[in-house]
Amino acid sequence: MKVYIAGKVTGLPSGEVFTKFGQAEFWLKHNGHEVVNPMRLCSAGWSWGKCMRVCIAEMMKCDAICLLQDWSSSRGAQMEYYVAQMLEMNVFMFIPKKIQK
């Protein structure tokens, strides 16, 4: 299954964003999915609108979206979720496991 990752980007440190999207991408690939990671689609300096147009176009090529835990505090991820719901795409959530010390 081809899966698009949706989560909060705007207003967060880039290292944090790349880490959380990367963790979801790794988990999805490990479980046999083809993954579209929006962090690999947009260039620095692009406007929010340009990024969303590119990301939603790529999301339309997917079978499902995987929501990160913070998706509901993101205007873009909320829009991606709404579109996925309206188009009856599979939707699920990625919840990273805490590492036991």
Side-chain angles (χ1 to χ4, degrees), residues 5 18-28 37 68 94 96:
I5 303 169
F18 278 99
T19 297
K20 70 180 177 178
F21 277 81
Q23 287 173 337
E25 180 178 15
F26 177 82
W27 180 82
L28 288 162
N37 181 343
L68 302 181
F94 172 71

Side-chain angles (χ1 to χ4, degrees), residues 4-81:
Y4 178 88
I5 303 169
K8 184 171 177 64
V9 174
T10 303
L12 297 177
S14 61
E16 177 184 327
V17 173
F18 278 99
T19 297
K20 70 180 177 178
F21 277 81
Q23 287 173 337
E25 180 178 15
F26 177 82
W27 180 82
L28 288 162
K29 284 183 176 181
H30 180 76
N31 285 283
H33 300 289
E34 183 180 351
V35 180
V36 175
N37 181 343
M39 297 310 298
R40 301 181 187 281
L41 299 176
C42 299
S43 294
W46 283 9
S47 70
W48 180 87
K50 182 174 182 175
C51 286
M52 290 307 301
R53 287 190 300 275
V54 167
C55 288
I56 288 175
E58 290 303 311
M59 187 181 95
M60 293 296 90
K61 300 173 187 174
C62 295
D63 306 299
I65 68 167
C66 175
L67 301 172
L68 302 181
Q69 287 180 294
D70 59 2
W71 76 272
S72 64
S73 63
S74 165
R75 179 173 55 136
Q78 287 178 19
M79 184 170 35
E80 292 161 342
Y81 171 74

Side-chain angles (χ1 to χ4, degrees), residues 1 3-4 62-66 84-85 87-92:
M1 180 167 35
V3 181
Y4 178 88
C62 295
D63 306 299
I65 68 167
C66 175
Q85 285 286 314
L87 299 177
E88 300 179 349
M89 295 173 69
N90 293 313
V91 178
F92 57 93

